[in-house]
Amino acid sequence: MSDLASLTNSGPKQQRIARPERPERRQARAGMVLFAPALVLLILILIVPVGVAALLSFTDYTLGRPSIDWVGLRNYIDIFTGSSYRKMIVATVLYVALVVPASVFLGLGAALLIRSLNVGQSFYKTVYFLPVMASLLAMAIVWEFALHPTLGIVNRTLAMGCGTPLELWSWFARSCVDGFPLWLGDRDYALYTLAFIGIWQSFGFNMVLYLAGLTSVPTELYGAAAMDGVKRGWERFRLITWPMLGPTTVFVVTITMIRSFQVFDTVEALTHGGPAKSTYVMIYAIYEKGIAQNLVGLGAAITILFLAFVMLISVAQRRFVERKVHYQ
Amino acid sequence: MATIQFRDIRKSFGDTDVLKGVGLDIADGEFLSLVGPSGCGKSTLLRILAGLESQTSGSVRIGGTPVDGLHAADRDLAMVFQSYALYPHLSVAENIAVPLTMRRLSNAQRLPLIGRALPGSRTTRAAIGTTVREAAEMLDIAHLLDRKPGQLSGGQRQRVALGRALVRDPSAFLLDEPLSNLDAKMRVHMRAEIAQLNRKLGATFVYVTHDQAEAMTMSDRIAVMMEGELLQVGTPDALYDHPEDIRVAQFIGSPAINILPVDTDASGTIRLCDMATGLRASGPPIEHLGVRPEAFVPCEEGELVVGRVRMIENLGSDLFVHLDAAGVPMPVTVRLPSSARGRIKVRDVMRLTATPARICGFDSAGKAAPVSAHDKAHDKAHDTAHDKVARHV
Ligand SMILES: Nc1ncnc2c1ncn2[C@@H]1O[C@H](COP(=O)(O)OP(=O)(O)OP(=O)(O)O)[C@@H](O)[C@H]1O
Ligand SMILES: [Mg+2]
């Protein structure tokens, strides 16, 4: 028994000296070396600035003032108690909640429709992708003209509907009498109008992602489904297309969410957060407080809050992916 | 439980003609194998029958009724795809259950969540579960039911694909190389299972394979296809003994048939390497003779082929002797009974003959042509000429 123990104890030890290093080890070390520059850069341009912002968010720092005072959680308390900050959260969340589902499902729908076309696929792809390629700031000016309360093409077109059966719709009838909405100038409509522009702008991008996702669905599966008795398009979608697009959907939803959290250009160009702070979204608030009004500490606090939201989405996405979505 | 008829099926993808007028009648309950080299259009023909591809011209009938334009789901066929085509996001059990849930449950019963609560759904689902389990047990994949296809080996995936086709009771099964990825033991087992299923269900089977041994053992009839055309359709015996085309002769049988290049003179005498063979062409001139390895018998004189032994393969039950024969570019293979073991050595000279009935003749186009024994069988010149060659090799 003790013989056996000594044998097994000494055996591997002697071998270990002679045995060459395992290739996995060597590869792992090479990997570390190659990965180091990226890690350094990541720390320098991402982690450190976020850390600085986090520190600043507990101060009343403003650019140019020599002294900095530690204010603790006051910036955060301001955010959660001040009414304009509450409006900021509401506007941001509402914007995201409107833009994400609409642009994801429109993107999917457009992709499916385009795929089913025999001719004109590239024409429709181009048309739907144009808003993505166009500069949103330039497009914002076009929208501003189109949505002008009296001269804009939108309200003028709507006004042509007065006196037609469209007036059966009570909202329409009322608008014919009281005038059509001011859109960007009306606190009840401004955010929805911005969301509409956001959807218009981003669904083409989602469509392209879905088109790419659709090409990776093996066509043989549709044949198998047909043999298995699947006839209707909806069943085919439920059995194959939708599950197979799972990874694409997770990616599309995440990226659309993060992009719509970051909405800024249309707000800056069209509404400046107004009217009555109804379109006062987060990035615009960061810009206004931190840069325009030089309240760097407050701006930093909103930034940290923003990062927390984005982080939450990423974590939720990872969780969801691991649990539900099928990856091949 | 259906006959299948192909009438002059043609199919082109762009400029390439893949099927060039295929006509084939398959009887009710028949087991028909479709064999042929890679790329000859077997899968395409099967997909046209299934309704997954439409033919350029021609018509398909199932059970006597034309099905052209009928949706694949309405043709009541089950198919095993060459690429398996399993649903990657569904477990093995769910994969096998799909054809049953799609046909046995109503639209409402298939809905997620609510569907399970509807009347009748529970019992139907339970019945489906039992059927799936039975199929899985037959295919020896019951322990894999909870896995996803991505976690299976190629052979296991193939069995799942087979299971998904076999759970139903369709009028015909279309199997596209369903055993190509299984190991030898599993393949033999599945061959027996499928053949037995054919007898039990009485359904028509169309079975695509590369493996001529598979086709020979399982089929009622074999259709040999090459370059989009059917060369011959017949029973395994007919194809083996009386191939109508030299390509059929070469494709069927392992080891392959021996092809001897010959000349036919004006009188019809067939000569191999300028020597009379004792055979004559009773029809068109013969360019090749085909002799199965087991049709050869060693002889002392009056031989058809003479050659030097190059290699001996001992399979225990049989002996395959490969000869370098005069006038034959490929080594000639002879199958001898195991009793010949030890009596033949490498570099021996062997003389072989075969009865005319077991020799196939092929004309210049490669089509079968009749061969008969020469009237004055072995003249003197023939013998001396052969001796010269024997010394030579
Ligand atoms: N969708 C397609 N487009 C163009 N050519 C095709 C298409 N499908 C098949 N072909 C061509 O048709 C020919 C026959 O293909 P098919 O898949 O029927 O061959 P097969 O006999 O099943 O071969 P294998 O034994 O390798 O499976 C091939 O030359 C192939 O390149
Ligand atoms: Mg094939």
Side-chain angles (χ1 to χ4, degrees):
Chain A
M1 194 65 182
S2 66
D3 270 11
L4 200 69
S6 70
L7 252 179
T8 49
N9 275 346
S10 65
K13 211 177 282 172
Q14 279 171 351
Q15 267 180 9
R16 200 176 301 152
I17 301 160
R19 195 195 304 153
E21 203 180 2
R22 279 193 290 138
E24 292 93 334
R25 274 280 195 67
R26 237 177 311 136
Q27 273 184 6
R29 196 139 34 78
M32 285 293 207
V33 172
L34 293 173
F35 157 73
L39 183 69
V40 170
L41 274 179
L42 198 73
I43 291 173
L44 276 182
I45 67 178
L46 220 79
I47 312 283
V48 169
V50 168
V52 171
L55 280 180
L56 285 177
S57 72
F58 296 107
T59 67
D60 63 355
Y61 177 71
T62 59
L63 210 62
R65 208 177 73 188
S67 70
I68 298 182
D69 285 325
W70 191 259
V71 297
L73 286 174
R74 206 182 65 210
N75 287 331
Y76 290 95
I77 293 166
D78 280 354
I79 293 173
F80 288 110
T81 53
S83 77
S84 73
Y85 299 114
R86 193 156 341 108
K87 279 182 178 160
M88 170 188 83
I89 304 284
V90 169
T92 311
V93 170
L94 192 59
Y95 183 86
V96 172
L98 286 170
V99 171
V100 172
S103 68
V104 168
F105 284 111
L106 279 176
L108 176 61
L112 289 173
L113 285 175
I114 285 176
R115 277 277 287 201
S116 72
L117 285 179
N118 291 324
V119 285
Q121 285 205 3
S122 42
F123 171 75
Y124 281 101
K125 274 185 216 172
T126 315
V127 166
Y128 288 139
F129 200 63
L130 264 179
V132 183
M133 292 189 292
S135 150
L136 191 53
L137 216 56
M139 287 298 115
I141 294 164
V142 175
W143 278 109
E144 195 167 21
F145 279 124
L147 292 167
H148 190 280
T150 51
L151 306 171
I153 188 167
V154 175
N155 277 358
R156 292 230 291 220
T157 311
L158 285 173
M160 282 180 353
C162 291
T164 66
L166 271 174
E167 288 214 40
L168 291 175
W169 181 13
S170 62
W171 176 87
F172 205 91
R174 220 172 329 109
S175 301
C176 278
V177 180
D178 304 340
F180 284 96
L182 303 178
W183 304 119
L184 293 167
D186 186 325
R187 62 200 261 184
D188 292 333
Y189 287 95
L191 187 74
Y192 297 96
T193 311
L194 282 187
F196 180 85
I197 297 173
I199 294 163
W200 168 82
Q201 201 256 336
S202 64
F203 93 91
F205 187 65
N206 294 345
M207 174 201 75
V208 168
L209 292 175
Y210 271 121
L211 278 173
L214 280 172
T215 57
S216 69
V217 182
T219 43
E220 201 81 306
L221 287 185
Y222 293 105
M227 297 308 293
D228 288 346
V230 176
K231 258 176 91 175
R232 295 188 310 159
W234 164 243
E235 287 287 354
R236 206 161 45 227
F237 178 77
R238 238 187 67 193
L239 181 68
I240 300 168
T241 315
W242 181 242
M244 294 301 285
L245 286 178
T248 312
T249 303
V250 171
F251 180 69
V252 165
V253 167
T254 314
I255 210 157
T256 317
M257 250 188 182
I258 292 175
R259 278 162 55 112
S260 41
F261 258 114
Q262 290 172 339
V263 62
F264 173 75
D265 29 16
T266 40
V267 181
E268 164 65 12
L270 296 175
T271 65
H272 299 283
K277 292 230 178 323
S278 62
T279 60
Y280 193 60
V281 294
M282 251 175 168
I283 296 286
Y284 187 78
I286 294 172
Y287 164 77
E288 195 193 59
K289 293 292 160 199
I291 293 167
Q293 299 178 7
N294 201 5
L295 300 171
V296 175
L298 194 56
I302 306 174
T303 306
I304 294 299
L305 197 66
F306 173 78
L307 286 177
F309 268 118
V310 172
M311 200 76 145
L312 210 70
I313 298 170
S314 303
V315 170
Q317 180 220 4
R318 282 244 57 86
R319 277 288 167 83
F320 188 74
V321 166
E322 270 153 29
R323 270 224 221 108
K324 285 209 84 124
V325 176
H326 159 80
Y327 278 94
Q328 262 168 325
Chain B
M1 285 142 282
T3 59
I4 295 168
Q5 282 140 350
F6 293 104
R7 288 274 173 276
D8 196 31
I9 299 290
R10 288 168 195 277
K11 174 77 186 173
S12 346
F13 291 107
D15 287 342
T16 42
D17 296 331
V18 174
L19 297 177
K20 302 163 188 165
V22 174
L24 178 61
D25 279 14
I26 306 172
D28 184 16
E30 185 172 7
F31 195 113
L32 182 113
S33 293
L34 199 56
V35 299
S38 186
C40 70
K42 305 180 296 289
S43 299
T44 308
L45 188 65
L46 217 57
R47 290 174 61 83
I48 288 172
L49 171 58
L52 301 173
E53 199 99 62
S54 53
Q55 63 270 33
T56 312
S57 71
S59 75
V60 182
R61 288 159 180 265
I62 299 176
T65 34
V67 291
D68 312 303
L70 199 64
H71 192 277
D74 296 328
R75 297 192 181 191
D76 192 28
L77 306 169
M79 181 157 170
V80 175
F81 288 78
Q82 191 171 6
S83 59
Y84 320 136
L86 300 175
Y87 307 115
H89 55 285
L90 298 182
S91 70
V92 169
E94 288 165 331
N95 260 289
I96 300 178
V98 167
L100 298 178
T101 49
M102 285 300 158
R103 287 170 204 264
R104 289 196 196 162
L105 293 174
S106 67
N107 283 333
Q109 284 174 328
R110 276 206 301 275
L111 286 176
L113 299 176
I114 326 161
R116 290 178 187 274
L118 289 178
S121 171
R122 280 269 302 281
T123 48
T124 315
R125 273 172 202 275
I128 289 173
T130 320
T131 318
V132 167
R133 184 151 279 283
E134 280 167 10
E137 261 151 29
M138 182 187 91
L139 294 159
D140 199 19
I141 45 172
H143 58 295
L144 305 172
L145 282 176
D146 295 327
R147 294 219 203 145
K148 295 275 171 70
Q151 302 163 314
L152 301 179
S153 75
Q156 289 168 333
R157 275 182 226 178
Q158 201 155 40
R159 277 180 279 161
V160 177
L162 213 47
R164 189 174 60 178
L166 300 185
V167 278
R168 269 185 61 226
D169 190 8
S171 53
F173 288 95
L174 319 181
L175 311 176
D176 198 347
E177 304 193 21
L179 310 183
S180 57
N181 264 320
L182 305 186
D183 61 42
K185 186 162 158 260
M186 193 69 204
R187 192 179 301 198
V188 172
H189 169 71
M190 284 315 301
R191 248 192 235 170
E193 286 283 358
I194 292 175
Q196 198 192 337
L197 202 74
N198 171 238
R199 282 192 295 275
K200 197 176 84 188
L201 299 177
T204 312
F205 275 62
V206 184
Y207 188 99
V208 171
T209 178
H210 273 126
D211 183 351
Q212 52 91 24
E214 228 169 60
M216 293 291 284
T217 51
M218 298 168 80
S219 332
D220 294 323
R221 284 195 305 158
I222 301 175
V224 183
M225 194 168 175
M226 268 176 217
E227 290 162 18
E229 284 170 307
L230 285 184
L231 294 182
Q232 188 174 358
V233 185
T235 60
D237 289 346
L239 259 65
Y240 192 81
D241 294 332
H242 308 290
E244 283 167 10
D245 192 293
I246 192 165
R247 289 174 287 173
V248 175
Q250 285 169 314
F251 194 80
I252 301 288
S254 171
I257 194 167
N258 297 296
I259 298 293
L260 314 173
V262 294
D263 297 314
T264 308
D265 64 19
S267 67
T269 307
I270 298 170
R271 295 171 170 278
L272 169 64
C273 204
D274 269 345
M275 286 159 297
T277 53
L279 300 167
R280 65 186 306 275
S282 32
I286 303 289
E287 285 218 336
H288 292 98
L289 293 179
V291 187
R292 296 276 173 206
E294 70 277 10
F296 275 127
V297 264
C299 63
E300 291 303 321
E301 57 178 11
E303 71 275 1
L304 178 63
V305 180
V306 59
R308 219 174 257 288
V309 176
R310 158 200 260 223
M311 188 176 77
I312 301 171
E313 278 180 287
N314 183 358
L315 300 189
S317 58
D318 300 292
L319 213 57
F320 288 121
V321 179
H322 302 272
L323 306 171
D324 287 319
V328 185
M330 298 291 287
V332 170
T333 310
V334 188
R335 179 171 150 191
L336 297 175
S338 57
S339 59
R341 257 187 275 171
R343 285 200 272 139
I344 295 163
K345 294 187 297 297
V346 173
R347 302 203 56 74
D348 280 358
V349 171
M350 266 186 98
R351 293 161 191 276
L352 302 167
T353 187
T355 57
R358 303 209 58 186
I359 298 174
C360 315
F362 300 102
D363 65 13
S364 55
K367 296 292 167 208
V371 172
S372 57
H374 209 287
D375 302 331
K376 44 184 184 76
H378 308 295
D379 55 355
K380 191 73 193 147
H382 166 76
D383 282 352
T384 48
H386 266 246
D387 283 339
K388 226 186 293 168
V389 174
R391 254 173 273 127
H392 191 71
V393 287

